Amino acid sequence: MNRDDLLASRILIVDDEDDNVRLLEDLLAREGFTQLVATTDPSRAMDLVDAFAPDLILLDLKMPELDGYAILETLGRTLDRDAFLPVIVLTADPSRSARHRALGLGAKDFLTKPLDTFEVALRVWNTLETRMLFKALRDVAPGREAVPGWRGGS
């Protein structure tokens, strides 16, 4: 795995605020990522997951009609048991209950707004590296049972 492998990752951004989407798109483009899809309409999130097959989702929690918690719940119900699609939650809600709920629903990381763009970039790189290592391990040992403790694992 090298930098180019990570830069080829597909990243989906789901946030109802245009300014937040532009900030994240600009940040990720400066880092060298080119496969970015974003939506300000959370009702499109699952269709985009199916069509785009992202390696990482950056997800806001507080959105009208369909919030990030509902998207996390849907991902948990619809992804294969041994899938590893990391979600980094980006929210203005710094409460312990929001962190616990999002992480309990399968989010792999939790960042609060206003965003520290340097930290966002580091966490994106680290999370994508974990995703690539997971895919490499799955390719080496296909058909193995899910690791206990992974979302959906036994």
Side-chain angles (χ1 to χ4, degrees):
M1 172 180 34
N2 61 41
R3 181 177 171 85
D4 289 339
D5 294 331
L6 292 174
L7 288 173
S9 298
R10 295 173 308 278
I11 302 173
L12 174 61
I13 302 166
V14 182
D15 194 311
D16 63 315
E17 295 289 333
D18 285 323
D19 289 343
N20 293 335
V21 168
R22 275 194 303 279
L23 171 78
L24 292 166
E25 287 176 324
D26 291 347
L27 166 68
L28 295 169
R30 279 194 311 270
E31 290 293 313
F33 294 101
T34 58
Q35 296 195 61
L36 307 173
V37 169
T39 184
T40 56
D41 180 359
S43 68
R44 295 187 59 222
M46 293 309 299
D47 288 338
L48 290 171
V49 167
D50 292 339
F52 184 55
D55 294 299
L56 172 64
I57 300 174
L58 302 178
L59 178 66
D60 185 22
L61 285 183
K62 302 290 184 180
M63 297 181 286
E65 297 174 33
L66 184 66
D67 64 17
Y69 297 117
I71 293 170
L72 286 167
E73 288 171 351
T74 303
L75 286 168
R77 283 193 315 272
T78 59
L79 290 177
D80 288 337
R81 201 175 138 229
D82 61 347
F84 177 63
L85 174 54
V87 176
I88 298 176
V89 166
L90 311 167
T91 183
D93 184 353
S95 71
R96 177 179 291 186
S97 62
R99 284 193 315 272
H100 290 182
R101 185 173 177 200
L103 294 168
L105 288 170
K108 299 303 178 210
D109 209 341
F110 190 99
L111 293 169
T112 56
K113 299 173 184 174
L115 297 171
D116 174 336
T117 56
F118 185 72
E119 183 177 8
V120 171
L122 290 173
R123 290 183 188 241
V124 164
W125 281 106
N126 291 343
T127 303
L128 286 171
E129 182 178 19
T130 301
R131 163 87 168 152
M132 294 303 137
L133 290 169
F134 176 86
K135 287 170 65 175
L137 180 60
R138 186 186 57 202
D139 292 344
V140 170
R144 301 286 299 244
E145 285 295 314
V147 176
W150 287 91
R151 178 176 34 154
S154 51

PDB file of all heavy atoms in Angstrom, residues 3 9 14-15 23 25 38-39 44 53 56 74-75 81-82 86 107 116 123 132 138 143 146-147 149:
ATOM      1  N   ARG A   3       0.975   5.745  -1.056  1.00  0.00           N
ATOM      2  CA  ARG A   3       0.186   6.987  -1.046  1.00  0.00           C
ATOM      3  C   ARG A   3      -0.816   7.026  -2.199  1.00  0.00           C
ATOM      4  O   ARG A   3      -1.952   7.456  -2.028  1.00  0.00           O
ATOM      5  CB  ARG A   3       1.142   8.175  -1.089  1.00  0.00           C
ATOM      6  CG  ARG A   3       0.466   9.523  -1.057  1.00  0.00           C
ATOM      7  CD  ARG A   3       1.502  10.642  -1.026  1.00  0.00           C
ATOM      8  NE  ARG A   3       0.911  11.940  -1.197  1.00  0.00           N
ATOM      9  CZ  ARG A   3       0.399  12.662  -0.218  1.00  0.00           C
ATOM     10  NH1 ARG A   3       0.408  12.203   1.002  1.00  0.00           N
ATOM     11  NH2 ARG A   3      -0.120  13.839  -0.463  1.00  0.00           N
ATOM     12  N   SER A   9      -8.747   6.379  -3.081  1.00  0.00           N
ATOM     13  CA  SER A   9      -9.921   6.061  -2.265  1.00  0.00           C
ATOM     14  C   SER A   9     -11.104   6.937  -2.652  1.00  0.00           C
ATOM     15  O   SER A   9     -10.957   8.096  -3.013  1.00  0.00           O
ATOM     16  CB  SER A   9      -9.612   6.285  -0.781  1.00  0.00           C
ATOM     17  OG  SER A   9      -8.574   5.440  -0.354  1.00  0.00           O
ATOM     18  N   VAL A  14     -21.492  13.715   3.400  1.00  0.00           N
ATOM     19  CA  VAL A  14     -22.924  13.953   3.592  1.00  0.00           C
ATOM     20  C   VAL A  14     -23.079  15.012   4.678  1.00  0.00           C
ATOM     21  O   VAL A  14     -22.814  14.755   5.854  1.00  0.00           O
ATOM     22  CB  VAL A  14     -23.668  12.656   3.999  1.00  0.00           C
ATOM     23  CG1 VAL A  14     -25.160  12.940   4.142  1.00  0.00           C
ATOM     24  CG2 VAL A  14     -23.404  11.524   3.017  1.00  0.00           C
ATOM     25  N   ASP A  15     -23.473  16.210   4.261  1.00  0.00           N
ATOM     26  CA  ASP A  15     -23.668  17.330   5.194  1.00  0.00           C
ATOM     27  C   ASP A  15     -24.673  18.279   4.558  1.00  0.00           C
ATOM     28  O   ASP A  15     -24.560  18.594   3.371  1.00  0.00           O
ATOM     29  CB  ASP A  15     -22.341  18.055   5.451  1.00  0.00           C
ATOM     30  CG  ASP A  15     -22.394  18.996   6.637  1.00  0.00           C
ATOM     31  OD1 ASP A  15     -23.349  19.807   6.719  1.00  0.00           O
ATOM     32  OD2 ASP A  15     -21.482  18.938   7.467  1.00  0.00           O
ATOM     33  N   LEU A  23     -15.839  23.196   2.251  1.00  0.00           N
ATOM     34  CA  LEU A  23     -14.643  23.134   3.087  1.00  0.00           C
ATOM     35  C   LEU A  23     -13.996  21.753   3.001  1.00  0.00           C
ATOM     36  O   LEU A  23     -12.777  21.630   2.796  1.00  0.00           O
ATOM     37  CB  LEU A  23     -14.992  23.463   4.544  1.00  0.00           C
ATOM     38  CG  LEU A  23     -13.869  23.225   5.552  1.00  0.00           C
ATOM     39  CD1 LEU A  23     -12.849  24.351   5.492  1.00  0.00           C
ATOM     40  CD2 LEU A  23     -14.434  23.093   6.959  1.00  0.00           C
ATOM     41  N   GLU A  25     -14.492  19.361   0.675  1.00  0.00           N
ATOM     42  CA  GLU A  25     -14.032  19.090  -0.692  1.00  0.00           C
ATOM     43  C   GLU A  25     -12.707  19.787  -0.962  1.00  0.00           C
ATOM     44  O   GLU A  25     -11.791  19.175  -1.536  1.00  0.00           O
ATOM     45  CB  GLU A  25     -15.081  19.541  -1.710  1.00  0.00           C
ATOM     46  CG  GLU A  25     -16.295  18.656  -1.778  1.00  0.00           C
ATOM     47  CD  GLU A  25     -17.357  19.197  -2.722  1.00  0.00           C
ATOM     48  OE1 GLU A  25     -17.529  20.439  -2.807  1.00  0.00           O
ATOM     49  OE2 GLU A  25     -18.019  18.375  -3.372  1.00  0.00           O
ATOM     50  N   ALA A  38     -20.232  14.370  -2.985  1.00  0.00           N
ATOM     51  CA  ALA A  38     -20.839  15.049  -1.839  1.00  0.00           C
ATOM     52  C   ALA A  38     -22.310  15.298  -2.107  1.00  0.00           C
ATOM     53  O   ALA A  38     -22.731  15.467  -3.255  1.00  0.00           O
ATOM     54  CB  ALA A  38     -20.121  16.369  -1.575  1.00  0.00           C
ATOM     55  N   THR A  39     -23.063  15.328  -1.021  1.00  0.00           N
ATOM     56  CA  THR A  39     -24.468  15.681  -1.106  1.00  0.00           C
ATOM     57  C   THR A  39     -24.869  16.493   0.113  1.00  0.00           C
ATOM     58  O   THR A  39     -24.350  16.266   1.208  1.00  0.00           O
ATOM     59  CB  THR A  39     -25.375  14.436  -1.232  1.00  0.00           C
ATOM     60  OG1 THR A  39     -26.731  14.863  -1.410  1.00  0.00           O
ATOM     61  CG2 THR A  39     -25.282  13.536  -0.012  1.00  0.00           C
ATOM     62  N   ARG A  44     -30.326  11.106  -0.051  1.00  0.00           N
ATOM     63  CA  ARG A  44     -29.587  10.485  -1.164  1.00  0.00           C
ATOM     64  C   ARG A  44     -28.414   9.630  -0.686  1.00  0.00           C
ATOM     65  O   ARG A  44     -27.782   8.933  -1.482  1.00  0.00           O
ATOM     66  CB  ARG A  44     -29.045  11.575  -2.102  1.00  0.00           C
ATOM     67  CG  ARG A  44     -30.125  12.372  -2.809  1.00  0.00           C
ATOM     68  CD  ARG A  44     -29.542  13.308  -3.851  1.00  0.00           C
ATOM     69  NE  ARG A  44     -28.807  12.541  -4.842  1.00  0.00           N
ATOM     70  CZ  ARG A  44     -27.618  12.913  -5.339  1.00  0.00           C
ATOM     71  NH1 ARG A  44     -27.045  14.029  -4.951  1.00  0.00           N
ATOM     72  NH2 ARG A  44     -27.000  12.160  -6.228  1.00  0.00           N
ATOM     73  N   ALA A  53     -19.900   3.256  -3.946  1.00  0.00           N
ATOM     74  CA  ALA A  53     -19.095   2.301  -3.164  1.00  0.00           C
ATOM     75  C   ALA A  53     -17.917   2.999  -2.473  1.00  0.00           C
ATOM     76  O   ALA A  53     -16.749   2.704  -2.736  1.00  0.00           O
ATOM     77  CB  ALA A  53     -18.602   1.160  -4.041  1.00  0.00           C
ATOM     78  N   LEU A  56     -14.822   5.578   2.468  1.00  0.00           N
ATOM     79  CA  LEU A  56     -14.968   6.367   3.686  1.00  0.00           C
ATOM     80  C   LEU A  56     -16.161   7.292   3.516  1.00  0.00           C
ATOM     81  O   LEU A  56     -16.374   7.838   2.433  1.00  0.00           O
ATOM     82  CB  LEU A  56     -13.700   7.200   3.930  1.00  0.00           C
ATOM     83  CG  LEU A  56     -13.730   8.233   5.054  1.00  0.00           C
ATOM     84  CD1 LEU A  56     -13.905   7.562   6.419  1.00  0.00           C
ATOM     85  CD2 LEU A  56     -12.467   9.081   5.037  1.00  0.00           C
ATOM     86  N   THR A  74     -29.118   2.669   9.211  1.00  0.00           N
ATOM     87  CA  THR A  74     -29.368   2.011   7.931  1.00  0.00           C
ATOM     88  C   THR A  74     -28.122   1.285   7.439  1.00  0.00           C
ATOM     89  O   THR A  74     -28.206   0.144   6.957  1.00  0.00           O
ATOM     90  CB  THR A  74     -29.855   3.027   6.878  1.00  0.00           C
ATOM     91  OG1 THR A  74     -31.035   3.670   7.369  1.00  0.00           O
ATOM     92  CG2 THR A  74     -30.157   2.365   5.554  1.00  0.00           C
ATOM     93  N   LEU A  75     -26.967   1.917   7.562  1.00  0.00           N
ATOM     94  CA  LEU A  75     -25.716   1.251   7.178  1.00  0.00           C
ATOM     95  C   LEU A  75     -25.532  -0.032   7.984  1.00  0.00           C
ATOM     96  O   LEU A  75     -25.148  -1.069   7.430  1.00  0.00           O
ATOM     97  CB  LEU A  75     -24.519   2.179   7.394  1.00  0.00           C
ATOM     98  CG  LEU A  75     -24.340   3.315   6.400  1.00  0.00           C
ATOM     99  CD1 LEU A  75     -23.302   4.310   6.912  1.00  0.00           C
ATOM    100  CD2 LEU A  75     -23.955   2.781   5.027  1.00  0.00           C
ATOM    101  N   ARG A  81     -22.247  -8.419   6.816  1.00  0.00           N
ATOM    102  CA  ARG A  81     -21.778  -8.631   8.176  1.00  0.00           C
ATOM    103  C   ARG A  81     -20.278  -8.399   8.322  1.00  0.00           C
ATOM    104  O   ARG A  81     -19.804  -7.897   9.333  1.00  0.00           O
ATOM    105  CB  ARG A  81     -22.130 -10.062   8.584  1.00  0.00           C
ATOM    106  CG  ARG A  81     -22.154 -10.255  10.042  1.00  0.00           C
ATOM    107  CD  ARG A  81     -22.615 -11.647  10.382  1.00  0.00           C
ATOM    108  NE  ARG A  81     -21.732 -12.071  11.442  1.00  0.00           N
ATOM    109  CZ  ARG A  81     -21.107 -13.199  11.481  1.00  0.00           C
ATOM    110  NH1 ARG A  81     -21.274 -14.081  10.556  1.00  0.00           N
ATOM    111  NH2 ARG A  81     -20.309 -13.475  12.463  1.00  0.00           N
ATOM    112  N   ASP A  82     -19.511  -8.761   7.299  1.00  0.00           N
ATOM    113  CA  ASP A  82     -18.054  -8.621   7.392  1.00  0.00           C
ATOM    114  C   ASP A  82     -17.528  -7.390   6.654  1.00  0.00           C
ATOM    115  O   ASP A  82     -16.338  -7.254   6.432  1.00  0.00           O
ATOM    116  CB  ASP A  82     -17.361  -9.876   6.884  1.00  0.00           C
ATOM    117  CG  ASP A  82     -17.658 -10.180   5.426  1.00  0.00           C
ATOM    118  OD1 ASP A  82     -18.579  -9.570   4.863  1.00  0.00           O
ATOM    119  OD2 ASP A  82     -16.967 -11.035   4.850  1.00  0.00           O
ATOM    120  N   PRO A  86     -15.811   2.544   6.965  1.00  0.00           N
ATOM    121  CA  PRO A  86     -15.670   3.487   8.069  1.00  0.00           C
ATOM    122  C   PRO A  86     -16.426   4.795   7.829  1.00  0.00           C
ATOM    123  O   PRO A  86     -16.504   5.289   6.706  1.00  0.00           O
ATOM    124  CB  PRO A  86     -14.162   3.730   8.148  1.00  0.00           C
ATOM    125  CG  PRO A  86     -13.628   3.360   6.814  1.00  0.00           C
ATOM    126  CD  PRO A  86     -14.557   2.338   6.241  1.00  0.00           C
ATOM    127  N   ALA A 107     -20.039   4.392  13.892  1.00  0.00           N
ATOM    128  CA  ALA A 107     -19.061   5.388  13.452  1.00  0.00           C
ATOM    129  C   ALA A 107     -17.685   4.996  13.992  1.00  0.00           C
ATOM    130  O   ALA A 107     -17.573   4.479  15.100  1.00  0.00           O
ATOM    131  CB  ALA A 107     -19.445   6.780  13.950  1.00  0.00           C
ATOM    132  N   ASP A 116     -11.067  21.377  12.892  1.00  0.00           N
ATOM    133  CA  ASP A 116      -9.630  21.624  12.774  1.00  0.00           C
ATOM    134  C   ASP A 116      -9.214  20.888  11.501  1.00  0.00           C
ATOM    135  O   ASP A 116      -9.145  19.651  11.487  1.00  0.00           O
ATOM    136  CB  ASP A 116      -8.916  21.074  14.013  1.00  0.00           C
ATOM    137  CG  ASP A 116      -7.408  21.133  13.934  1.00  0.00           C
ATOM    138  OD1 ASP A 116      -6.846  21.169  12.824  1.00  0.00           O
ATOM    139  OD2 ASP A 116      -6.785  21.110  15.006  1.00  0.00           O
ATOM    140  N   ARG A 123      -6.998  12.366  10.327  1.00  0.00           N
ATOM    141  CA  ARG A 123      -7.937  11.278  10.628  1.00  0.00           C
ATOM    142  C   ARG A 123      -8.441  10.601   9.355  1.00  0.00           C
ATOM    143  O   ARG A 123      -8.654   9.395   9.333  1.00  0.00           O
ATOM    144  CB  ARG A 123      -9.068  11.772  11.502  1.00  0.00           C
ATOM    145  CG  ARG A 123      -8.574  12.101  12.909  1.00  0.00           C
ATOM    146  CD  ARG A 123      -9.689  12.534  13.806  1.00  0.00           C
ATOM    147  NE  ARG A 123      -9.201  13.027  15.071  1.00  0.00           N
ATOM    148  CZ  ARG A 123      -9.504  12.479  16.239  1.00  0.00           C
ATOM    149  NH1 ARG A 123     -10.263  11.404  16.297  1.00  0.00           N
ATOM    150  NH2 ARG A 123      -9.048  13.006  17.350  1.00  0.00           N
ATOM    151  N   MET A 132      -7.761   0.235   3.913  1.00  0.00           N
ATOM    152  CA  MET A 132      -6.956  -0.482   2.927  1.00  0.00           C
ATOM    153  C   MET A 132      -6.319  -1.740   3.535  1.00  0.00           C
ATOM    154  O   MET A 132      -6.246  -2.783   2.885  1.00  0.00           O
ATOM    155  CB  MET A 132      -5.871   0.429   2.351  1.00  0.00           C
ATOM    156  CG  MET A 132      -6.389   1.586   1.540  1.00  0.00           C
ATOM    157  SD  MET A 132      -7.434   1.063   0.165  1.00  0.00           S
ATOM    158  CE  MET A 132      -8.752   2.249   0.298  1.00  0.00           C
ATOM    159  N   ARG A 138      -8.597  -9.079   4.074  1.00  0.00           N
ATOM    160  CA  ARG A 138      -9.747  -9.843   3.561  1.00  0.00           C
ATOM    161  C   ARG A 138      -9.365 -10.595   2.288  1.00  0.00           C
ATOM    162  O   ARG A 138      -9.780 -11.738   2.082  1.00  0.00           O
ATOM    163  CB  ARG A 138     -10.910  -8.891   3.294  1.00  0.00           C
ATOM    164  CG  ARG A 138     -12.188  -9.611   2.891  1.00  0.00           C
ATOM    165  CD  ARG A 138     -13.267  -8.654   2.497  1.00  0.00           C
ATOM    166  NE  ARG A 138     -12.756  -7.831   1.400  1.00  0.00           N
ATOM    167  CZ  ARG A 138     -13.235  -6.652   1.074  1.00  0.00           C
ATOM    168  NH1 ARG A 138     -14.217  -6.125   1.748  1.00  0.00           N
ATOM    169  NH2 ARG A 138     -12.729  -5.977   0.064  1.00  0.00           N
ATOM    170  N   GLY A 143     -13.339 -15.481   3.005  1.00  0.00           N
ATOM    171  CA  GLY A 143     -14.252 -16.452   3.585  1.00  0.00           C
ATOM    172  C   GLY A 143     -14.123 -16.636   5.078  1.00  0.00           C
ATOM    173  O   GLY A 143     -14.846 -17.443   5.660  1.00  0.00           O
ATOM    174  N   ALA A 146     -16.235 -12.989  10.444  1.00  0.00           N
ATOM    175  CA  ALA A 146     -15.977 -11.628  10.920  1.00  0.00           C
ATOM    176  C   ALA A 146     -15.267 -11.689  12.269  1.00  0.00           C
ATOM    177  O   ALA A 146     -15.481 -12.585  13.064  1.00  0.00           O
ATOM    178  CB  ALA A 146     -17.294 -10.862  11.059  1.00  0.00           C
ATOM    179  N   VAL A 147     -14.406 -10.726  12.489  1.00  0.00           N
ATOM    180  CA  VAL A 147     -13.666 -10.647  13.744  1.00  0.00           C
ATOM    181  C   VAL A 147     -14.634 -10.232  14.848  1.00  0.00           C
ATOM    182  O   VAL A 147     -15.373  -9.260  14.692  1.00  0.00           O
ATOM    183  CB  VAL A 147     -12.524  -9.612  13.618  1.00  0.00           C
ATOM    184  CG1 VAL A 147     -11.797  -9.440  14.931  1.00  0.00           C
ATOM    185  CG2 VAL A 147     -11.568 -10.026  12.507  1.00  0.00           C
ATOM    186  N   GLY A 149     -16.305  -8.356  17.725  1.00  0.00           N
ATOM    187  CA  GLY A 149     -16.141  -6.963  18.115  1.00  0.00           C
ATOM    188  C   GLY A 149     -16.357  -6.006  16.957  1.00  0.00           C
ATOM    189  O   GLY A 149     -16.644  -4.846  17.173  1.00  0.00           O
TER     190      GLY A 149
END
